[in-house]
Amino acid sequence: MRLTDCHNVRDFRSLAERRLPSPIFNYIDGGADDEVTMRRNTEAFESVDLVPNVLRGVTDVDLSTEIMGQKLDLPVYLSPTALQRLFHHEGEHATAAAAAKFGTMFGVSSLGTVSMAELAAKHETPQVYQFYFHKDRGLNSAMMQNAKESGINVMMLTVDSITGGNRERDLRTGFSIPFRLTLGGMIQFAIKPMWGINYLTHEKFSLPQLDAHVDMKGDTLTIGRYFTDMLDPSMNWDDVERMVSEWGGPFCLKGVMSVEDAVKAAEIGCQGIVLSNHGGRQLDGSRTAFDQLDEIVQAVGGPAPVSPDT
């Protein structure tokens, strides 16, 4: 099976499952606890019926739009995804290039594996920086300043991941950063050696958005401990309002699910709202973003653009 054999998301998933060692595949494919929310996210879209209007004399199709001051050729963007070079050695290099090719935005994760400055220098596509709020307020300011200097267009504060999710698949395989694999997990790497060859023969794996500010190397701090020890669960609306003011540009809040929170986000100056349950990877049992879309758009669709995270 090759990329040319992939015609939809299910095909890409099948190809990934064939090529990736099981711990890596299950990390990107899985969700929290029983994965009920993760399944509902897909089912919400599958249950929608389209009712097209016909005979409208359409000759030219224009899908372009403008959101948070960014002009896009498509009404979709590439949402930020962590650790991309774990799944393919090109990682964000490839996804940013795809976004540029189709004229849309590209999201850079705080846990990204290519620096946002490098991506901004290479690709003209607008970038969104997906940011986590730390206990150290000075660290937050320093990271935002670094984003500005790197040419980031939109700041996206993620508020649905104050603590790491209980991902049972990872517990079974021993997946973590750094790796602490079970015997079964190690065997999976042995039977799919191309992943390891690519990992070792290409640029060294790193987390450049964090490496300048946080020690993420060695055994000192795993990804799970980063969420547990460094992110601030006491973050509140006053903190976000100060961050909006400090950033001084297009600011988006990602992880909103209730009408009340969406209204508050618009009131404090957020220019974009992303409805998200983090793909069902943090909290199982959440309602889907798509099912909340209509109600929230009716409440705040004028002051702030609203988008469901799929």
Side-chain angles (χ1 to χ4, degrees), residues 236-258:
N236 57 41
W237 287 107
D238 290 337
D239 293 317
V240 179
E241 188 170 12
R242 283 190 291 269
M243 190 176 175
V244 170
S245 176
E246 183 176 354
W247 177 249
F251 192 100
C252 179
L253 202 61
K254 177 180 180 290
V256 172
M257 288 295 291
S258 73

Side-chain angles (χ1 to χ4, degrees), residues 17-187:
E17 189 171 18
R18 293 187 184 196
R19 292 190 177 183
L20 293 174
S22 175
I24 301 293
F25 172 78
N26 280 296
Y27 171 74
I28 193 173
D29 187 62
D33 294 303
D34 296 326
E35 301 184 348
V36 173
T37 296
M38 188 181 74
R39 291 191 296 273
R40 286 177 180 168
N41 285 341
T42 299
E43 292 167 357
F45 282 88
E46 292 175 342
S47 64
V48 173
D49 296 321
L50 300 179
V51 183
N53 291 321
V54 298
L55 300 175
R56 292 303 192 266
V58 176
T59 55
D60 298 313
V61 177
D62 183 5
L63 296 178
S64 65
T65 188
E66 183 172 328
I67 183 169
M68 292 181 288
Q70 313 306 309
K71 294 183 179 179
L72 310 180
D73 293 339
L74 295 175
V76 295
Y77 81 109
L78 298 185
S79 189
T81 303
L83 308 179
Q84 289 190 27
R85 288 185 54 243
L86 272 186
F87 318 123
H88 190 279
H89 61 271
E90 292 185 16
E92 290 90 346
H93 293 296
T95 46
K101 177 180 178 180
F102 292 99
T104 191
M105 279 196 306
F106 169 68
V108 185
S109 172
S110 286
L111 298 174
T113 52
V114 178
S115 79
M116 52 190 168
E118 182 179 352
L119 294 171
K122 189 172 182 180
H123 306 285
E124 294 184 359
T125 181
Q127 287 193 72
V128 173
Y129 181 32
Q130 178 265 320
F131 189 83
Y132 289 114
F133 194 83
H134 303 85
K135 295 175 182 177
D136 185 339
R137 302 302 196 266
L139 174 60
N140 291 331
S141 295
M143 294 178 73
M144 283 197 295
Q145 182 60 35
N146 186 42
K148 287 182 181 180
E149 294 171 356
S150 298
I152 291 294
N153 305 87
V154 180
M155 176 61 64
M156 176 186 283
L157 177 63
T158 296
V159 294
D160 58 3
S161 303
I162 297 301
T163 186
N166 181 43
R167 299 181 191 170
E168 295 175 5
R169 292 203 211 184
D170 295 346
L171 296 175
R172 296 187 185 102
T173 65
F175 178 88
S176 65
I177 303 292
F179 291 135
R180 290 187 176 85
L181 299 171
T182 62
L183 177 60
M186 289 188 284
I187 291 173

